[in-house]
Amino acid sequence: NDAKDIIINSLPNDYQMSDICYEVENKEIARVENHKIYMIKPGVTKIRIYTSDNKYEVYLNVLVSDG
């Protein structure tokens, strides 16, 4: 499967990359492992990127094309 790196340019103060968690809305479209998105099948899904204490979060919209 094709994998794309998730590049995080900055973190909140006192947080490390090991504090970052991912939650994929539709696991049939994509999955995340080791800060990489793996495309499974064409479609759209949302990935929640959050700190392990749930204090900070952002959402990433992902479009997986069939080409």
Side-chain angles (χ1 to χ4, degrees):
N1 284 351
D2 194 21
K4 302 290 182 196
D5 290 323
I6 297 174
I7 299 170
I8 297 176
N9 293 319
S10 64
L11 294 170
N13 289 338
D14 301 324
Y15 287 88
Q16 306 296 320
M17 283 301 292
S18 59
D19 297 316
I20 301 301
C21 304
Y22 303 93
E23 183 179 317
V24 180
E25 184 178 77
N26 187 338
K27 293 174 177 60
E28 294 179 4
I29 303 298
R31 65 183 168 85
V32 175
E33 285 181 29
N34 300 320
H35 309 291
K36 292 181 184 289
I37 301 172
Y38 291 87
M39 315 304 175
I40 297 172
K41 71 176 192 178
V44 177
T45 190
K46 192 183 302 183
I47 297 174
R48 177 179 174 237
I49 304 171
Y50 61 100
T51 54
S52 54
D53 60 4
N54 274 310
K55 200 170 179 184
Y56 299 95
E57 69 179 3
V58 295
Y59 288 87
L60 174 65
N61 291 312
V62 176
L63 168 64
V64 178
S65 66
D66 58 1

